Amino acid sequence: MFGYALRRVLTAIPIVLITITVCFFILRLAPGGPFDGERALPPDVMKNLRAHYNLDQPLLTQYLIYLGGVLRGDFGPSMVMEDFSVSRLISIGLPFTLMLGFSAFVVGTIGGMLAGAVAAVNQNKWPDYLLVAIVLVGIIIPNFLMANLVQLFFGVYLHWLPVGGYHPGSLIHLVLPIFILALPHGGRVARLVRGSMIEVLGTNYVRTARSKGLGTRLILARHALKPALLPVVSYLGPGLSYLLTGSLVVEQVFALPGIGKYFITAALNRDYGLVLGTTILYVFIILALNLIVDVLYAWLDPKVRYR
Amino acid sequence: MAGITGKDAALTAYADALAAQAPKGRSLTQDALRRLFNNKAALLSIFVLTAIVLFAYIGPYLLPWAYDKIDWAGIRKPPDWAKGHYFGTDQNGRDMLARTLQGTQMSLLVAAVATGVSVVIGIIYGAIAGYFGGRIDAVMMRFVDIMYALPYILFVIILVVIFGRSPVLLFVGIGCLEWLTMARIVRGQTLSIKQREFIEAAKAGGARPFTIIFRHIVPNLTGPVVIYATLTIPEIIITESFLSYLGLGVQEPQTSLGTLISFGAPVAEALPWMLYTPAAILVTMLLCFSYLGDGLRDALDPKDR
Amino acid sequence: MTDVLVVDDLDVTFALHDSEVKAVSDLDFSLAQGETLAVVGESGSGKSQAFLSIMGLLARNGKASGRAMMGDVNLIGLPPNELDRYRGKDIAMIFQDPMTSLNPTLKVKTQLAEVLVRHQGYDNEKANRAVVEMLERVGIPEPVKRANAYPHELSGGMRQRVMIAMALLCRPKILIADEPTTALDVTVQAQMLDLFKTLTHDFGTAMVLITHDLGVVAGIADRMMVMYGGRCVEKGPTDTLFYDPRHPYTLGLLHSTPHVAKRARRLDPIQGLPPSLEHLPRGCAFHPRCAFRFERCFEERPPLLPVEAVREKACWYQGELKYGEVA
């Protein structure tokens, strides 16, 4: 088990390196840059700017300087927001984004698992049909549209919840953002749990467990739950990517102070330093979480560990 | 690279089924079409989608207002049949129906471009990996696995930074990120097709690998390609509207469904038609593609053969 | 000898979306303490469903009626939570496919020990010791190591031994073995049958052996019940049925089983296919495939009637059965 986890960590390292390298060179080689404004800057200013950001060095040197910085946790300066280093911006936005994403992840996963299990046990009865309908709506309607719709209904028309903004400690501002993030995630989890639970309850080994007189609760908890969760766990990896995408939108629509907002702003302003820094961070987070998911999977399915 | 609609899970299951099953010429046969047409949801989806596509391309010629024409007398007006503003006008006095149709055209166009690019790349990549097998296959598929682990949308946004001012180029770029699932499907399919007698015969006849791939393997991929495209088009539509919504996609005066929604959302309390018109079209299309995709998967499912 | 199980008038029906299918009809039999009863028939004869219904393991759309008395308790129609007091303790079952019948995500010892914890109130440690003992008893080498293994680390024969150990942990009065050897290699089959024989004898357990293979029956069963189309067509002591079958179907089965049919000049399978339970023929269900049929067989279903003191059969034909006459 430990050896397996270690192997997975080792395989993740080159992926991070490759990502950093590829993103770095793509962004540096891309036409246009943060200083190509509406008006051309005077050549002297341009030269100083380039020197300041090491842009006058050979590409390889720039790359090595950058890589060294990243290893020390320094993602370089933002090229548009002066006086802010990328690391500083990240340290402001990251805790919020992680908190938001994690809450939505927990709410969506648990809600989806419960809903899916209820639907599976009531297969082809009304709770099942209701769930399938909700899941369809949650998955089909894109999150930016859904975010606007709930903002409109609960914020503007009904005045039940604030339409956006956030100040630390204000939970009520988080209700809609978390709901929007959790809905499609929970929907997919519910769909998976429903399917796998129905399948598992029909397997021979559950029949064996019933033949042993174990009682419904013990059968569900010990014999059915673990295998029924397998597809859910393997979905959690991609699910994290969807949550990430969702958080970009949600932070934008509800005007929340996370890194998603910086990322979008940076992309709009062609702020290479910030785009690169946030991208690397996102990739790192996603890979780390995927790693946890893989180890969890190996724990659930003993066969995987030997592959 | 995990996309944003979760189609990969569905397609991966399908790809696995293809790889596991000995293939039996899984093209769009009469049989599969009959099964598809027996599926009422899928059939209705085809009709609705056809109607939307036709209307998006023919409709603008029938309307009194062009999408970028400003009606100075009718700014921010609700639907008005007498003046020909069937879905109202926006803050600049432009006809919402005309703009929605133009936006639908744009969404469909970029979806078609990106899907086409990804299908071509996916077929070539997957066929090469599957046909040559061994180490080549292992390395190529390992690369796909790595790409899968990375968050799709980040790279799309990096592409935006690079290609920002050219939407078509942007969606060629997105197509270059989308092909992973297609490559997996094609590889699985190729692996099983290459065991079959007619490939042996072609090899014995001295055909070169690429001739075999394009003459014998690619034509057998109709079914997977159709399913893949049906699930990929809505994904690109969402990606496009998502980017446009964030202000990273199509630029004014051109428009797309996402742009329209992003302009409509802040003013939806006062001018609800500006949000609900494009939103309704978008959701209808996505719903139809979803049902059509399911229907196709059932109709072409190798298990039922 | 006392009867440990008396089944009376057992019916099993399955609801399909617009119709009902009767998988088992009017089944009566009894099982004496320590005896081995073989239940024989082709697939679809209702033999498995009859015993699944006694165990309360029918699929969702299945329903059983009638009586299956184990002592004073009628197992049919008992709610699951009450049935759980007996399942695994007094009556246990072994299934056909050892590959899929063990939970792949749990260690062998977990799956075995839970039976003892549930029914005998053992603590985990005591249960684990008993599990290792039982694994040794069913002939598993290195039982401690195997107990800590996951099912996929064991071979098919080994897994079936684990299933046997699991079923016998509480020394049940009744053991139902549903095609226990079908999925195994021929060489392993014989070992497995020996194991059944020894263990049921040692524990005084009565066994029901469900099989389609008469070769398996010969060495192990005291009595035998032949089923066709959801009904019992002939039953009696194994020897007498083997040497002197009275129902044409039994005769056909014997002659289509290689090493039982030694005395026949050639191996001759029964003509035709087993009937679909949805469309059972009128009259005797076997008549379309029967060489001895006459008018009555087309119209009236023969009841199960005593032939000699210990035998019963359901057939109108009362003459002598000669094999050559089976088409």
Side-chain angles (χ1 to χ4, degrees):
Chain A
M1 195 72 197
F2 178 74
Y4 175 80
L6 193 71
R7 273 209 311 280
R8 299 289 318 185
V9 172
L10 289 178
T11 51
I13 291 173
I15 302 181
V16 176
L17 267 180
I18 292 171
T19 317
I20 296 178
T21 313
V22 170
C23 293
F24 180 88
F25 284 104
I26 287 181
L27 283 171
R28 280 295 189 276
L29 295 173
F35 312 126
D36 302 341
E38 297 282 306
R39 271 181 315 158
L41 293 165
D44 284 353
V45 179
M46 196 69 171
K47 198 174 161 217
N48 282 335
L49 273 173
R50 291 178 63 86
H52 179 67
Y53 293 116
N54 290 325
L55 292 177
D56 51 352
Q57 310 260 2
L59 207 53
L60 199 63
T61 320
Q62 287 183 38
Y63 171 67
L64 292 176
I65 292 173
Y66 188 78
L67 202 59
V70 169
L71 289 180
R72 278 178 278 115
D74 175 12
F75 291 89
S78 160
M79 295 177 185
V80 173
M81 289 193 233
E82 284 166 38
D83 306 332
F84 278 101
S85 75
V86 173
S87 307
R88 169 110 184 84
L89 286 171
I90 287 174
S91 71
I92 299 172
L94 186 62
F96 181 84
T97 299
L98 285 184
M99 185 267 291
L100 186 67
F102 185 71
S103 316
F105 181 75
V106 171
V107 170
T109 309
I110 293 179
M113 280 178 1
L114 286 178
V118 168
V121 175
N122 294 296
Q123 196 189 347
N124 297 335
K125 295 188 197 139
W126 70 263
D128 188 23
Y129 293 128
L130 183 70
L131 176 95
V132 170
I134 293 176
V135 164
L136 192 68
V137 169
I139 294 177
I140 292 283
I141 298 186
N143 50 11
F144 59 89
L145 182 55
M146 198 61 163
N148 278 305
L149 292 178
V150 296
Q151 199 179 36
L152 212 53
F153 283 105
F154 295 104
V156 178
Y157 295 156
L158 296 172
H159 296 291
W160 286 359
L161 293 163
V163 288
Y166 174 75
H167 51 85
S170 147
L171 290 178
I172 194 143
H173 284 88
L174 294 177
V175 174
L176 288 182
I178 289 179
F179 172 74
I180 291 301
L181 278 182
L183 182 67
H185 175 70
R188 296 206 180 92
V189 169
R191 198 186 252 189
L192 284 169
V193 169
R194 176 183 179 274
S196 67
M197 197 69 150
I198 288 173
E199 197 181 314
V200 168
L201 289 179
T203 56
N204 285 344
Y205 58 82
V206 166
R207 188 180 62 183
T208 307
R210 285 165 67 200
S211 83
K212 292 192 283 188
L214 291 181
T216 313
R217 219 170 308 154
L218 188 60
I219 291 174
L220 283 177
R222 187 181 288 164
H223 286 265
L225 197 62
K226 252 171 111 175
L229 287 185
L230 279 178
V232 181
V233 173
S234 56
Y235 164 74
L236 292 183
L240 289 165
S241 289
Y242 306 140
L243 272 180
L244 165 86
T245 317
S247 77
L248 295 180
V249 167
V250 164
E251 287 176 16
Q252 195 81 356
V253 174
F254 293 101
L256 301 173
I259 44 171
K261 212 165 154 43
Y262 292 128
F263 184 60
I264 303 288
T265 318
L268 284 168
N269 294 333
R270 314 190 120 203
D271 183 345
Y272 292 156
L274 193 49
V275 168
L276 195 53
T278 35
T279 305
I280 293 169
L281 188 73
Y282 273 134
V283 168
F284 185 77
I285 294 173
I286 294 275
L287 286 179
L289 294 175
N290 268 305
L291 202 69
I292 297 174
V293 167
D294 282 350
V295 172
L296 192 64
Y297 196 95
W299 174 68
L300 283 173
D301 185 2
K303 275 183 237 172
V304 173
R305 285 174 224 167
Y306 303 92
R307 274 184 206 151
Chain B
M1 201 168 296
I4 55 179
T5 57
K7 70 163 202 258
D8 300 296
L11 280 169
T12 305
Y14 177 73
D16 292 346
L18 282 184
Q21 222 83 14
K24 304 171 204 157
R26 204 163 294 100
S27 56
L28 262 184
T29 56
Q30 295 285 337
D31 192 34
L33 277 179
R34 184 180 50 74
R35 263 190 288 186
L36 182 63
F37 290 144
N38 281 339
N39 181 337
K40 290 196 184 64
L43 196 61
L44 184 67
S45 300
I46 293 177
F47 278 121
V48 174
L49 282 175
T50 315
I52 290 179
V53 171
L54 285 179
F55 193 50
Y57 281 90
I58 297 173
Y61 298 106
L62 309 176
L63 292 178
W65 300 93
Y67 74 95
D68 52 355
K69 182 95 185 286
I70 295 172
D71 177 8
W72 296 101
I75 294 174
R76 301 158 67 98
K77 284 288 185 311
D80 180 349
W81 286 73
K83 293 178 81 175
H85 294 305
Y86 303 109
F87 282 180
T89 56
D90 69 2
Q91 300 101 314
N92 295 325
R94 292 175 297 193
D95 184 55
M96 273 314 289
L97 181 56
R99 288 184 70 69
T100 305
L101 292 182
Q102 204 274 333
T104 311
Q105 273 186 29
M106 180 57 83
S107 294
L108 288 169
L109 177 72
V110 295
V113 169
T115 306
V117 169
S118 70
V119 165
V120 170
I121 299 181
I123 286 183
I124 294 174
Y125 194 94
I128 291 176
Y131 185 83
F132 292 105
R135 280 184 87 87
I136 298 179
D137 180 38
V139 171
M140 287 176 85
M141 291 330 277
R142 180 76 194 125
F143 177 69
V144 169
D145 287 343
I146 291 177
M147 292 283 280
Y148 256 110
L150 300 176
Y152 165 76
I153 201 70
L154 296 181
F155 290 86
V156 170
I157 289 179
I158 289 181
L159 285 178
V160 171
V161 177
I162 300 169
F163 296 125
R165 306 217 154 66
S166 159
V168 175
L169 216 52
L170 172 60
F171 285 93
V172 171
I174 291 181
C176 294
L177 292 177
E178 263 288 335
W179 52 272
L180 299 170
T181 311
M182 188 71 221
R184 277 192 175 175
I185 295 174
V186 173
R187 171 184 171 267
Q189 185 76 323
T190 308
L191 278 179
S192 46
I193 291 176
K194 79 170 180 189
Q195 317 285 352
R196 292 174 65 188
E197 300 81 7
F198 62 83
I199 302 289
E200 286 297 318
K203 272 188 197 160
R208 295 224 310 272
F210 286 93
T211 319
I212 294 179
I213 289 175
F214 286 104
R215 188 157 309 151
H216 297 288
I217 291 178
V218 174
N220 274 301
L221 296 172
T222 326
V225 167
V226 169
I227 293 177
Y228 173 81
T230 322
L231 292 175
T232 302
I233 289 175
E235 171 153 318
I236 307 277
I237 291 178
I238 293 180
T239 307
E240 184 278 325
S241 2
F242 173 78
L243 292 176
S244 298
Y245 178 84
L246 295 174
L248 299 167
V250 177
Q251 309 285 324
E252 286 282 319
Q254 293 213 308
T255 189
S256 79
L257 292 175
T259 316
L260 289 171
I261 290 173
S262 78
F263 286 144
V267 296
E269 195 181 2
L271 316 172
W273 56 90
M274 279 189 65
L275 173 62
Y276 295 124
T277 308
I281 299 275
L282 179 65
V283 172
T284 309
M285 286 208 298
L286 296 177
L287 202 62
C288 288
F289 273 113
S290 161
Y291 278 119
L292 183 57
D294 285 353
L296 278 169
R297 204 145 25 97
D298 292 345
L300 295 166
D301 194 334
K303 259 184 295 188
D304 293 350
R305 292 281 171 119
Chain C
M1 267 205 285
T2 46
D3 286 340
V4 286
L5 183 69
V6 181
V7 172
D8 204 5
D9 229 1
L10 179 67
D11 284 358
V12 176
T13 47
F14 287 93
L16 303 181
H17 51 250
D18 52 359
S19 61
E20 269 197 348
V21 164
K22 213 162 184 193
V24 178
S25 312
D26 304 329
L27 194 65
D28 301 302
F29 67 89
S30 63
L31 185 66
Q33 192 188 352
E35 80 164 334
T36 297
L37 171 72
V39 179
V40 180
E42 289 162 293
S43 52
S45 60
K47 55 192 196 305
S48 292
Q49 295 306 332
F51 289 92
L52 286 174
S53 77
I54 292 171
M55 292 292 289
L57 296 175
L58 288 177
R60 278 165 163 266
N61 60 341
K63 221 178 104 240
S65 66
R67 276 172 306 284
M69 304 300 294
M70 189 174 70
D72 303 330
V73 190
N74 181 8
L75 296 172
I76 302 293
L78 216 54
N81 56 337
E82 283 186 46
L83 202 51
D84 283 342
R85 299 221 301 265
Y86 309 105
R87 289 196 286 205
K89 180 165 183 268
D90 297 320
I91 180 164
M93 189 156 180
I94 295 170
F95 301 95
Q96 175 169 1
D97 187 359
M99 298 298 180
T100 59
S101 294
L102 287 166
N103 191 323
T105 63
L106 296 174
K107 285 183 180 175
V108 166
K109 70 171 178 199
T110 316
Q111 302 188 50
L112 265 69
E114 64 186 1
V115 182
L116 290 167
V117 173
R118 168 79 176 84
H119 292 296
Q120 313 283 34
Y122 284 17
D123 58 28
N124 279 326
E125 199 190 328
K126 193 173 172 195
N128 282 338
R129 251 178 300 145
V131 163
V132 171
E133 241 168 65
M134 183 56 81
L135 288 177
E136 194 160 19
R137 187 106 196 225
V138 296
I140 292 183
E142 297 182 85
V144 180
K145 191 176 147 208
R146 298 292 194 272
N148 280 303
Y150 287 96
H152 68 268
E153 299 169 83
L154 306 179
S155 68
M158 206 69 96
R159 280 187 235 188
Q160 194 60 297
R161 283 176 198 266
V162 169
M163 287 296 292
I164 296 171
M166 187 190 282
L168 293 177
L169 275 172
C170 296
R171 313 210 163 188
K173 288 186 268 186
I174 304 161
L175 173 67
I176 299 167
D178 186 0
E179 308 261 8
T181 58
T182 310
L184 304 175
D185 289 348
V186 183
T187 47
V188 183
Q189 280 186 12
Q191 296 170 13
M192 215 56 74
L193 290 173
D194 270 351
L195 187 64
F196 274 121
K197 227 162 147 177
T198 331
L199 289 175
T200 50
H201 179 261
D202 290 358
F203 295 165
T205 298
M207 178 161 83
V208 175
L209 181 70
I210 303 170
T211 181
H212 64 270
D213 182 358
L214 282 177
V216 167
V217 176
I220 189 170
D222 303 309
R223 283 194 306 142
M224 148 174 176
M225 174 161 86
V226 181
M227 288 186 69
Y228 190 83
R231 288 172 190 275
C232 171
V233 293
E234 183 167 17
K235 68 181 168 199
T238 308
D239 293 350
T240 55
L241 259 73
F242 264 60
Y243 291 104
D244 180 20
R246 296 292 175 84
H247 194 285
Y249 179 61
T250 315
L251 181 77
L253 276 181
L254 286 167
H255 282 275
S256 54
T257 306
H259 72 264
V260 180
K262 259 183 285 194
R263 57 206 175 95
R265 281 180 306 278
R266 62 202 165 107
L267 196 60
D268 218 330
I270 308 174
Q271 301 298 311
L273 293 170
S276 135
L277 290 169
E278 272 175 273
H279 310 285
L280 276 183
R282 265 165 65 86
C284 173
F286 187 60
H287 82 251
R289 303 166 76 187
C290 182
F292 302 93
R293 64 188 173 201
F294 55 103
E295 296 79 18
R296 202 174 180 185
C297 305
F298 291 78
E299 296 302 325
E300 274 177 87
R301 195 183 56 238
L304 190 64
L305 293 173
V307 186
E308 287 154 17
V310 289
R311 305 183 53 172
E312 290 169 74
K313 75 162 180 172
C315 180
W316 295 123
Y317 182 77
Q318 300 298 343
E320 195 190 347
L321 295 183
K322 277 183 36 209
Y323 180 66
E325 291 170 44
V326 179

